[in-house]
């Protein structure tokens, strides 16, 4: 799926996860240093995970 098609998809669902405060702070700090957002990185992880482990 192209990046252009990804941007057209409406983000209409939320996922709540529980992580420890220290890990969250480290993750947020790293995302800021890398000029990205936590949400963007989590979505990226989910897409890669689906591509790797989804139906073949």
């Amino acid at each position: 799926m192209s990046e252009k098609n990804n941007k057209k998809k409406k983000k209409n669902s939320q996922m709540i996860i529980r992580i420890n405060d220290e890990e969250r702070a480290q993750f947020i700090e790293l995302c800021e240093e890398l000029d990205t957002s936590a949400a963007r990185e989590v979505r990226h992880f989910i897409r890669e995970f689906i591509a790797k482990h989804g139906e073949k």
Side-chain angles (χ1 to χ4, degrees), residues 1-52:
M1 189 174 300
S2 74
E3 187 172 328
K4 193 174 189 178
N5 287 338
N6 283 341
K7 288 186 178 188
K8 289 183 181 181
K9 284 187 175 184
K10 188 174 181 181
K11 296 174 185 92
N12 59 1
S13 187
Q14 292 184 343
M15 178 183 293
I16 298 172
I17 61 169
R18 297 200 181 275
I19 60 173
N20 102 11
D21 290 340
E22 186 178 315
E23 289 176 332
R24 180 190 180 277
Q26 289 176 341
F27 182 63
I28 298 296
E29 185 178 330
L30 283 169
C31 287
E32 288 174 357
E33 288 175 12
L34 297 169
D35 195 30
T36 188
S37 71
R40 181 182 298 143
E41 294 307 315
V42 171
R43 286 190 300 267
H44 178 74
F45 167 78
I46 290 170
R47 290 181 187 121
E48 282 192 349
F49 188 89
I50 290 169
K52 182 177 178 181

